Amino acid sequence: MTDLGDIVPDLVPARMVNEFSYCPRLFFLEWVDAQFADNDDTVEGRWQHRAVDEQAGAVPLPEEGIIKVARSVAVSSTSLGLIGVVDLLEGTDEGEVVPVDTKKGLVAPTPEMAWEPDRVQVCVQGLLLRENGYQCTHGVLWFAGSRQRVIVSFDDVLVKRTLELVGELRQVAASSVAPAPLVDSRKCPRCSLVGICLPDEVNMLSARNETMPRRLVPRDPAPRPLYVTQQGAFVSKEHGRIEIRKDKDKLDSVRMLDVSQLCLYGNIQVSSQLVRELLTREIPICWFSFGGWFTGMATGLPGRNVELRRRQVIVAAQGGLDIARRIVTGKIHNSHTLLRRNSKNRPKEALDQLKNLATEAGEADSFQRLLGIEGAAARTYFGVFSTMLREDKAMPGGIFTFEGRNRRPPTDPINCMLGYVYGLLVKELTATAFAIGFDPYLGFYHRPRFGRPALALDLAEEFRPIVAESVVINLVNNGEVSAEDFVVRAGGVMLTPSGKTAVIRGYERRLAGELTHPVFGYRATYRRILEVQLRLLAAHLLGEIPEYIPIVTR
């Protein structure tokens, strides 16, 4: 076995040999990068496994006695470099031990009646037992789906293949970049990490496969963000639920498994017990100012994808102009599309200017030039933004008039809502970037500044028109907000509690809506597309695809 020094830990979990045999990239993402996602198969697998997860039975050493039946037996070997747990260990009258590994599915339609990853996994357990002095010539695979035992003989061919995989596994683990995805593999649709790996998307963009990607990205998870805006509320944990109270009155109670984020606005208290539980479950807690400014986030330990952050730092230090050009180009194109679709008079001059500025942005040779182009595009776009608002929805005093961007404080309801939704969008991208393994505060277009999630702001640019600004336009044109949803104080405009509820509802509805990905052709929700784009940016930084392609709607 190659001596890899301190690069790879001395003992690798034995079950990872199974993952490596199935797909080397799956092994790398799950163990090296510590990325994991459940699907129906993994959840059912844990359920079928529950009977052998609890330790039971005596396990004497070979010279001390005979093993009858034991469950959940830990065993390791420094020479093999593996550590694992045998689900069920049975003794025979001849003094042998037989590892029994539980599988949720059906017997395989092959001569061996089991796929290689499963046979290798039980063989690893047999080799570990041998290393510890036990006599072990075969193992058993118990398939819960067909309720059938399959005997796996540890012959020379299987042992040789298993040891080859162990050596290859350690070599891959020492690499800084994940192996390439499988090409058009039937394994991918059932893999729980398909939404992280993006095999078809990466293969297409890297020209390893010319066919259009399959619709492999899984559905959005059921949990959704929980927003708490009631000032003076107290949020706590109670028997697996999140409870919101104020002055001893219960305002709401939500199952913790239904929550993906806890978003707190203004003066709201949260119990330390709930904070600890949410961090354990990797559910971020996001804090906003009363007016909706995203101020911070608490989450669990940072991702183990150190190589991604290292590449991020290198590219950012080199300027990151190519990525910045693409992001700004995408933003201007999306502004053009939103204006073309929603303006009642289709201002030709503004549309032509945006089209030309998008071309110029793609050719900008400096950040100063790019900033100037983006500023010109913003002035052109927001100069005609009001043409996308229905005139009959304007209130007495022109409450829904719009004469350009302003903030801190916003002086009209449109700018007030825009700022509020921008905060929600940046929060979403910050949490997603952190979960993938990025440093959200190191960007390529927005310069690093204390307390500013520059990377999240970068990615927000291309989504501002099609998510944030689209939400505000729909809220006004559909009559979902009115004069009663705003408060004007000292020239500044703020949302009332009812206004905040309406804006959050409109934002979540937009993220749950679907669009057709312009490059890959499949439909997915905006929330899922946010994650896909961040993962494609990661793939570009890691050298898996040649360039970052922004989301551009038509």
Side-chain angles (χ1 to χ4, degrees), residues 15-148:
R15 66 183 181 84
M16 285 299 138
V17 184
N18 172 289
E19 307 283 30
F20 185 83
S21 175
Y22 187 85
C23 172
R25 184 176 174 88
L26 168 65
F27 154 74
F28 190 97
L29 294 175
E30 185 172 336
W31 189 67
V32 180
D33 286 350
Q35 300 189 68
F36 186 75
D38 268 321
N39 65 2
D40 293 345
D41 289 336
T42 60
V43 173
E44 183 183 352
R46 284 200 297 272
W47 173 254
Q48 295 289 354
H49 220 266
R50 70 194 187 283
V52 293
D53 281 341
E54 187 172 344
Q55 292 184 352
V59 189
L61 293 172
E63 65 274 11
E64 294 177 347
I66 297 176
I67 295 176
K68 294 183 179 180
V69 177
R71 290 184 174 85
S72 190
V73 179
V75 60
S76 66
S77 166
T78 54
S79 61
L80 290 173
L82 297 172
I83 182 171
V85 176
V86 179
D87 291 346
L88 180 65
L89 191 59
E90 298 177 340
T92 69
D93 294 338
E94 293 76 20
E96 287 192 27
V97 292
V98 179
V100 180
D101 200 47
T102 300
K103 301 296 176 185
K104 74 171 186 62
L106 304 173
V107 168
T110 65
E112 299 87 354
M113 301 178 68
W115 301 111
E116 181 188 83
D118 296 334
R119 291 185 289 113
V120 164
Q121 183 173 8
V122 74
C123 183
V124 165
Q125 296 174 8
L127 294 178
L128 287 170
L129 289 165
R130 288 181 182 180
E131 286 289 316
N132 284 272
Y134 295 98
Q135 185 179 355
C136 184
T137 60
H138 68 278
V140 170
L141 292 170
W142 162 249
F143 290 94
S146 52
R147 302 195 64 78
Q148 187 173 351

Side-chain angles (χ1 to χ4, degrees), residues 143-144 164 253 303 319 459-460 498 509:
F143 290 94
E164 286 176 351
S253 178
L459 269 292
S498 64
R509 183 173 63 234

Side-chain angles (χ1 to χ4, degrees), residues 54 165 248 346 420 442 446 483-484:
E54 187 172 344
L165 287 170
K248 298 183 180 180
R346 288 202 175 186
Y420 202 86
L442 184 61
H446 292 82
E484 288 72 26

Side-chain angles (χ1 to χ4, degrees), residues 195-230:
I196 295 172
C197 173
L198 299 180
D200 288 6
E201 292 85 346
V202 170
N203 285 330
M204 175 185 172
L205 295 178
S206 61
R208 298 180 71 240
N209 189 7
E210 295 180 356
T211 60
M212 290 295 289
R214 297 165 289 180
R215 175 59 166 86
L216 299 181
V217 179
R219 295 172 304 197
D220 279 11
R224 287 290 181 265
L226 174 62
Y227 297 90
V228 185
T229 60
Q230 182 66 48

